[in-house]
Amino acid sequence: MAHAVPTSTLDRLSPAEADAVRRLVADAAAVDGTSALNEAALLALDHPGDVRHVLARAEDAGPGALLRGYAQLAPGDGSTTGQLVVHPDVRRRGVGSALLGALLALAPSRLQVWAMGGTSAAQALADRAGLRLARELLVMTRPLGADLRAPRVPDGVAVRTFEPGRDEQAWLGVNARAFASHPEQGALTADDLAQRMAEPRFDPRGFFLAERDGVLVGFHWTKQHAGTLGEVYVLGVDPGSGGAGLGGALLDTGLAHLRAAGDTEVELYVEGDHAGAVGLYTGRGFTTASRDVMYAQP
Ligand SMILES: CC(C)(COP(=O)(O)OP(=O)(O)OC[C@H]1O[C@@H](n2cnc3c(N)ncnc32)[C@H](O)[C@@H]1OP(=O)(O)O)[C@@H](O)C(=O)NCCC(=O)NCCS
């Protein structure tokens, strides 16, 4: 029964609590094959902001005790985004229902919840709470072999790498325009960018900018994960500058960089209903590996 599982809500986590959440997320990922929290939610564990944290603690709450479950609530423009995860050892005991109930009670606006990997467990939990499928994010991958296309940069366009301290403002402008219809990426602020640039794995040598007459018209920010996995982290072209092969050229530039850095596999996330982008990636040999699903209050 949901009310049998106590939860506590916090505005910020102590370093030990943030570590306990990371352990919980890692234990769950080892079973689920994917992280239940996305990058923004993981960053928010250490960076106090307007998110709220819901903890379902273990009964034996000694130091280092595992959390039974964790949920995070991030209020946004007109809707509130939640993510939740239950430790694999204590699933089907009402912890997920209690966390989702807490999110529903706390959300100041329409709640939408991410389910990474879109499992049948998440679907069943969402169904029971009256949430409906609202968005699908495809996780696409491809091996990085010798069959990569050589980048063909359109005439009049020059590609260089991002210079910290110089390119932030121009990048924020193009990013906001390129992702105007994308709820998270398009809303990225200077602070959000600074947080991502402060991550240990940030490397401007893998962050490509395309300029026409010195004006930024597109970019491809690649990311290096542990081992030999690379990511097409964000690829964007200023509306009005697209359609000239710029997106493809930027994609090919980044893929060649990741392969030269030793990566053997590359992944990316793309909105399932963004036909143009999905077409670009499919044409470059990417296939859908899994789907992240968003459920929302009707
Ligand atoms: C989805 C998740 C949060 C469920 O947590 P949980 O603590 O096991 O959920 P509960 O015990 O509260 O289950 C509530 C109901 O959801 C449904 N459900 C949960 N897991 C299920 C499963 N594996 N198969 C079918 N139905 C399931 C059932 O209807 C269940 O009620 P019941 O046990 O009385 O039949 C958990 O599996 C998890 O952490 N998954 C990875 C992260 C994730 O997908 N998060 C997004 C959730 S929307």
Side-chain angles (χ1 to χ4, degrees), residues 208-265:
F208 299 93
L209 303 184
E211 290 176 324
R212 184 175 278 126
D213 301 324
V215 176
L216 185 63
V217 288
F219 62 87
H220 181 187
W221 183 348
T222 68
K223 199 163 160 178
Q224 182 60 52
H225 292 276
T228 54
L229 176 66
E231 182 180 346
V232 175
Y233 180 48
V234 208
L235 175 70
V237 171
D238 208 346
S241 302
L246 187 52
L250 280 163
L251 176 60
D252 294 333
T253 301
L255 295 182
H257 163 79
L258 292 171
R259 180 159 192 265
D263 287 334
T264 57
E265 181 86 14

Side-chain angles (χ1 to χ4, degrees), residues 2 5 28 32 34-37 68 70 82-88 90-100 113-126 128 131 293 295:
V5 178
D32 299 330
T34 184
S35 168
L37 298 191
R68 291 200 284 176
Y70 170 78
Q83 293 172 52
L84 71 130
V85 58
V86 175
H87 195 281
V90 294
R91 289 185 181 169
R92 296 304 287 266
R93 295 187 205 167
V95 179
S97 303
L99 290 170
L100 186 53
V113 181
W114 275 119
M116 309 310 173
T119 61
S120 52
Q123 191 183 334
L125 186 69
R128 277 208 350 185
L131 305 183
V293 176
Y295 297 101

